[in-house]
Amino acid sequence: ADGSDGKLYCWGSNSSGQLGDGTRTNRSTPVAVQAPEGVTLSGVEGGAFHTCADGSDGKVYCWGNNFYGQLGDGTNTERWTPVAVQAPEGVVLSGVVAGDTHTCAEGSDGKLYCWGWNVDGQLGDGTTTDSWTPVAVQAPAGVMLSGVSAGAWHTCAHGSGGKVYCWGYNADGQLGDGTDTSRLTPVAVEAPEGVVLSGVVARLYHTCADGSDGKVYCWGW
């Protein structure tokens, strides 16, 4: 949570240093995240065992478990305090979201970037290869993706054409494309006829979004 003193506070399990206080000690009350000197962190996002936030210096920072490279610093070394994500040259990342073992953010070049575990294609780059640094999501031709949400092993975002797109693990139908086939790149969610979906959120094995008809829609397990 954001503190009124400009610091970020976390509490709970700290087995991988995901609280960012420089220790692996569990905390039952809030402790301040040790942000880099001169950097204010905001927009905190917690994954399974890692945490990320946007920095006031235009960088994205992550900390905690890094076994699959989900911290995006080019290593798989566990970090107990925030480290900067290695953004592609010339790209500023923002709006970071943390899934269970992967992480995504929006790039200043209009692309979405993801990094970490990719066994089910949740990074959306057309492969199942893990990445320790951000890789661009392969958006459909002519579509710009934004408003990304990361679930456990799947990812979703909004497309510039008014559709919602998902990719990754799909054994329970959480991609919403009418199949149970996992996808290595984004596929369009089959919204009900006449309904435009927005505000998409991806969770463990299911996904939900707001409908333009005033209803909320969910799909998956």
Side-chain angles (χ1 to χ4, degrees):
D2 295 323
S4 58
D5 57 357
K7 296 180 181 179
L8 198 63
Y9 289 85
C10 294
W11 56 96
S13 175
N14 199 24
S15 57
S16 297
Q18 60 263 46
L19 301 189
D21 68 338
T23 77
R24 290 180 61 191
T25 303
N26 296 338
R27 306 289 185 176
S28 58
T29 57
V31 290
V33 174
Q34 291 185 16
E37 187 174 355
V39 176
T40 299
L41 300 175
S42 63
V44 64
E45 275 276 329
F49 298 100
H50 77 293
T51 313
C52 297
D54 295 320
S56 57
D57 58 352
K59 297 179 182 179
V60 165
Y61 290 85
C62 294
W63 56 97
N65 187 281
N66 198 24
F67 187 81
Y68 298 103
Q70 59 263 49
L71 302 190
D73 68 338
T75 78
N76 67 342
T77 302
E78 184 173 280
R79 307 290 186 177
W80 299 356
T81 57
V83 291
V85 173
Q86 291 186 12
E89 187 174 356
V91 175
V92 176
L93 299 175
S94 64
V96 64
V97 293
D100 268 24
T101 48
H102 75 293
T103 312
C104 298
E106 297 181 21
S108 57
D109 58 354
K111 297 179 182 179
L112 283 185
Y113 290 87
C114 294
W115 56 96
W117 203 26
N118 197 28
V119 66
D120 295 297
Q122 56 264 53
L123 301 190
D125 68 338
T127 78
T128 55
T129 304
D130 298 348
S131 182
W132 296 355
T133 57
V135 291
V137 175
Q138 291 186 15
V143 175
M144 290 183 62
L145 299 174
S146 62
V148 64
S149 179
W153 301 290
H154 75 294
T155 314
C156 297
H158 298 286
S160 54
K163 296 180 180 179
V164 167
Y165 292 85
C166 294
W167 57 97
Y169 188 69
N170 197 27
D172 301 293
Q174 54 264 62
L175 301 191
D177 68 339
T179 78
D180 61 358
T181 303
S182 296
R183 308 290 185 174
L184 306 185
T185 57
V187 292
V189 173
E190 293 185 5
E193 187 174 354
V195 175
V196 177
L197 299 175
S198 63
V200 65
V201 290
R203 289 298 179 253
L204 188 60
Y205 297 113
H206 74 291
T207 312
C208 294
D210 296 320
S212 56
D213 58 354
K215 297 178 181 178
V216 169
Y217 290 85
C218 295
W219 55 96
W221 196 20

